Amino acid sequence: MSATIAWDDFEKVDIRTGTIVAAEPFPEARKPAFKLRIDFGPEIGEKKSSAQITVHYTPEALVGRQVMAVVNFPPRQIGPFMSEVLTLGFADGNGDIVLAAVDKTVPNGARLM
């Protein structure tokens, strides 16, 4: 477990829901990954993300899926791709990533409370 943080620290992390509108393979990545384009609604808009989720998902199955992402980290260059948000997930028993998601549809851009 990580060190205890204050509530103010948690509030600094802006986690939002968004809908994947495009997904494609990212063959230039060092580890297998997809390039995602995620719609976070009118306030934030569409953002790009690289996600190492190739074991459990296909690009076709990802489109239309709502996911959770940190939207206030600085963009990060991953090879030739600029990742603008951090798509969230959990490692399964084999270390492969399973996406973190809501269990009911919420508006794109809804903030984790």
Side-chain angles (χ1 to χ4, degrees):
M1 193 164 96
S2 297
T4 301
I5 63 171
W7 183 257
D8 290 346
D9 294 325
F10 172 73
E11 286 184 323
K12 291 176 187 175
V13 181
D14 194 355
I15 299 173
R16 305 285 184 120
T17 58
T19 300
I20 298 173
V21 296
E24 62 183 81
F26 186 8
E28 304 90 351
R30 285 183 297 157
K31 295 181 181 178
F34 294 132
K35 296 180 199 177
L36 307 176
R37 202 169 73 241
I38 306 169
D39 178 9
F40 291 98
E43 180 186 344
I44 298 170
E46 286 187 8
K47 299 290 182 182
K48 298 181 294 183
S49 182
S50 171
Q52 297 173 359
I53 55 173
T54 60
V55 171
H56 293 296
Y57 306 96
T58 63
E60 299 79 23
L62 288 167
V63 174
R65 182 183 186 99
Q66 253 191 338
V67 295
M68 298 168 61
V70 177
V71 298
N72 65 331
F73 283 143
R76 182 174 179 187
Q77 189 74 42
I78 301 174
F81 185 75
M82 183 64 75
S83 188
E84 300 172 296
V85 299
L86 175 64
T87 304
L88 300 174
F90 298 92
D92 67 12
N94 295 319
D96 300 313
I97 303 302
V98 175
L99 289 168
V102 294
D103 68 350
K104 303 269 189 273
T105 302
V106 298
N108 286 336
R111 186 170 183 168
L112 179 69
M113 300 289 178

